[in-house]
Amino acid sequence: MTVRHLMKKTSLKIYLLAVIFLSLLILLGLKKDDAVSAKDKNFYKDIKTFSEVLDMVRKNYVDEVNTTELMQGAINGMIRSLDPHSSFMTPDLYNELEVETQGQFGGVGIEIMIIKDVLTIVSPIEDTPAFHAGLKSGDQILKIDGKPTKDITIVEAVKKLRGPKDTKVTVTILREKMTAPKDITLTRAIIQIKSVKYKKIEKNIGYIRVAAFQERTDDAIRKALKEMDDKHNPLKGVILDLRSDPGGLLTQAIDVSDIFLKSGIIVSTRGRVKAAETTSTAVDDKTEITCPMVVLVNEGTASAAEIVAGALQDNRRALIVGTQTFGKASVQTVIPIEGGSALKLTTARYYTPSGRSIQAEGITPDIKVPYVKASEDTENMAIKDEIMREKDLKGHIKPGKDEGTKSDEIKAKDAKDALDLENDNQLRTAVDILKSWDIMKKNLK
């Protein structure tokens, strides 16, 4: 923030001279101060080296360079070297992030990630241009509008893919078994990410699918439970489907967990600074639903979704069914910077109520049930187990030391097509568990 402020008020030449002069003064002063560590000496030496290199590039590069772009490039390189989730955002990219958390934007409808240095589709969002064009999980995006995506960041890719409704964007993809890359032209549309879907199964089992944790996700879940849990036919079980949920807002993960918990720790965070140390606890507001629960997870269950799964598992509130989760147990703080830019920085690791750090490890289900495709017709289903985990990402942060023991909703009629008990073996297992639960209670009385 200081560098940006100086660059606005002085010329770059004066700034460079000031940095060099300050560095020299500090280095001379260090000789008189034996208490200063070797790390501090190296830090100021590196500042001097950086300023010298920047000045050389400005003066000697074959073409005239844009100093603002040089500085942004240097910042991007620095942040990119930390971990896959930290990033520097220019004002327009910061605006894109804020739009995404509100759940509506112009785009093509895909979730993307950098996997082994290649821009890769995690999954297409149902009923979007990407979904209808046949884009699939695992497709590599080699070019966007003819420009290579090598070394592109996620925020840069998102900016290129989004745009006004009815405008076009061409992606060049490479898929397993393809003999050559293929161009696919997509027409952008208004993408409304529907955070929550719900319906009743077997008359008294409630099904709630959370696609992402956005603003008001907790309100949508409360509404879903209220509509499904009527007095004449109360719920006897709830399935919370968090498969392929990439996460979202930490505050929403806490609020959603609190819906199902009367007491107990939900999540704690720990970082280098004291402000990063927090503990969130459930509050009994006398409205919590008490029927048995099953939470469905898979390799795509990440971040905020893992917080909910971990909270319900450690508090023995629900059985976790499915496959090992993604393992993203780090917290990113978005820090606004003067001028409209922002820094998304990993500032803490989070821990489950029992003190587990699941970073790069994930949550182990109580009952492991791999997803089995019933036929080729299910190839385009939104829920899959074919997603890379956090540990596969280049530069992922390591697990922390364990501190203890190891936007909207779609109403029931619209969620009908999302459920397929015949072909979805994980969902069928969850239903069978809850039905058996009720039978065992009756027999044990």
Side-chain angles (χ1 to χ4, degrees):
M1 189 180 299
T2 304
V3 171
R4 288 176 59 85
H5 183 70
L6 286 170
M7 289 181 68
K8 286 182 178 180
K9 292 186 175 293
T10 65
S11 68
L12 182 62
K13 184 175 180 180
I14 295 174
Y15 163 66
L16 290 173
L17 290 174
V19 171
I20 295 172
F21 180 70
L22 179 60
S23 301
L24 289 173
L25 285 178
I26 293 171
L27 288 170
L28 289 172
L30 291 178
K31 295 180 180 178
K32 299 179 180 180
D33 188 357
D34 295 334
V36 179
S37 69
K39 286 185 179 181
D40 290 332
K41 294 179 182 179
N42 289 333
F43 172 72
Y44 294 115
K45 183 179 179 181
D46 290 339
I47 290 179
K48 180 175 179 293
T49 301
F50 171 77
S51 63
E52 288 176 347
V53 171
L54 184 60
D55 194 40
M56 290 177 189
V57 171
R58 289 184 60 251
K59 291 178 179 177
N60 302 303
Y61 186 68
V62 62
D63 295 320
E64 186 175 352
V65 295
N66 184 305
T67 53
T68 300
E69 291 180 358
L70 273 181
M71 291 300 295
Q72 288 186 351
I75 294 171
N76 282 329
M78 174 178 63
I79 301 302
R80 193 181 297 178
S81 69
L82 298 174
D83 66 78
H85 308 294
S86 296
S87 61
F88 171 74
M89 294 174 284
T90 57
D92 52 347
L93 294 178
Y94 181 30
N95 182 63
E96 291 285 343
L97 177 68
E98 291 184 311
V99 168
E100 183 176 348
T101 61
Q102 295 170 359
Q104 179 174 309
F105 50 86
V108 298
I110 52 175
E111 295 173 5
I112 53 178
M113 184 176 293
I114 304 295
I115 299 177
K116 296 182 178 178
D117 296 326
V118 180
L119 184 64
T120 305
I121 295 176
V122 174
S123 65
I125 301 172
E126 292 178 79
D127 296 325
T128 63
F131 181 85
H132 293 304
L135 294 181
K136 298 180 181 180
S137 174
D139 286 351
Q140 297 180 335
I141 302 178
L142 305 183
K143 296 180 182 179
I144 300 176
D145 282 335
K147 296 182 179 180
T149 57
K150 181 177 172 58
D151 296 328
I152 197 170
T153 65
I154 290 294
V155 287
E156 290 169 344
V158 167
K159 185 176 185 299
K160 290 179 180 292
L161 291 169
R162 289 185 184 168
K165 179 184 177 183
D166 295 329
T167 59
K168 296 184 182 297
V169 60
T170 299
V171 294
T172 304
I173 68 162
L174 183 63
R175 183 179 299 164
E176 187 178 1
K177 297 182 180 179
M178 271 188 177
T179 56
K182 179 181 179 181
D183 287 344
I184 297 179
T185 299
L186 306 167
T187 302
R188 296 182 179 96
I190 298 299
I191 308 299
Q192 295 184 350
I193 300 179
K194 297 173 176 63
S195 177
V196 175
K197 300 178 182 181
Y198 64 94
K199 71 169 295 182
K200 268 190 174 181
I201 305 174
E202 304 280 341
K203 294 183 179 180
N204 53 21
I205 294 176
Y207 171 86
I208 300 175
R209 160 88 178 134
V210 182
F213 287 84
Q214 303 168 348
E215 295 176 1
R216 300 181 298 278
T217 294
D218 59 331
D219 293 335
I221 291 177
R222 287 190 180 92
K223 182 178 179 181
L225 288 170
K226 185 176 181 180
E227 289 192 10
M228 292 189 292
D229 191 31
D230 60 78
K231 293 181 180 179
H232 302 292
N233 189 21
L235 290 176
K236 295 183 179 179
V238 171
I239 298 170
L240 183 62
D241 191 348
L242 301 180
R243 292 176 293 178
S244 298
D245 183 331
L249 299 175
L250 171 64
T251 53
Q252 280 296 301
I254 294 169
D255 290 343
V256 168
S257 299
D258 199 11
I259 292 173
F260 303 102
L261 293 171
K262 289 182 175 292
S263 62
I265 294 174
I266 294 174
V267 67
S268 60
T269 63
R270 295 174 180 84
R272 288 180 62 196
V273 298
K274 194 168 184 63
E277 297 182 5
T278 65
T279 299
S280 300
T281 306
V283 177
D284 185 5
D285 60 7
K286 311 301 180 185
T287 64
E288 292 83 2
I289 193 163
T290 58
C291 61
M293 280 188 69
V294 171
V295 178
L296 292 175
V297 298
N298 67 0
E299 288 90 337
T301 304
S303 192
E306 290 177 291
I307 288 176
V308 175
L312 298 180
Q313 184 182 52
D314 282 5
N315 283 290
R316 299 185 179 183
R317 177 63 185 88
L319 281 176
I320 311 299
V321 174
T323 53
Q324 196 84 5
T325 62
F326 189 79
K328 180 185 179 295
S330 58
V331 179
Q332 282 69 49
T333 301
V334 178
I335 308 168
I337 299 175
E338 182 182 353
S341 299
L343 178 63
K344 185 170 76 169
L345 189 66
T346 300
T347 55
R349 292 179 177 85
Y350 74 71
Y351 296 79
T352 69
S354 64
R356 291 181 296 164
S357 171
I358 63 166
Q359 170 61 24
E361 295 179 4
I363 289 175
T364 301
D366 299 305
I367 303 175
K368 293 184 180 181
V369 181
Y371 181 77
V372 179
K373 290 183 180 179
S375 68
E376 290 300 317
D377 293 336
T378 63
E379 187 176 10
N380 285 323
M381 289 181 66
I383 298 169
K384 289 188 173 185
D385 282 348
E386 302 171 356
I387 302 174
M388 303 282 281
R389 293 192 178 97
E390 171 81 5
K391 65 183 177 62
D392 299 310
L393 302 184
K394 183 178 180 181
H396 69 267
I397 63 175
K398 303 301 181 184
K401 183 178 179 181
D402 285 358
E403 299 292 334
T405 59
K406 293 246 173 202
S407 71
D408 300 309
E409 78 275 2
I410 297 179
K411 292 190 176 180
K413 61 184 180 64
D414 299 319
K416 182 177 179 181
D417 294 336
L419 303 182
D420 189 348
L421 283 174
E422 183 178 347
N423 292 319
D424 190 341
N425 66 301
Q426 292 175 326
L427 177 58
R428 189 169 64 248
T429 299
V431 172
D432 289 343
I433 288 171
L434 291 174
K435 289 171 66 176
S436 301
W437 204 318
D438 192 45
I439 292 171
M440 284 189 293
K441 277 173 54 179
K442 289 179 180 179
N443 291 337
L444 291 174
K445 284 183 179 178

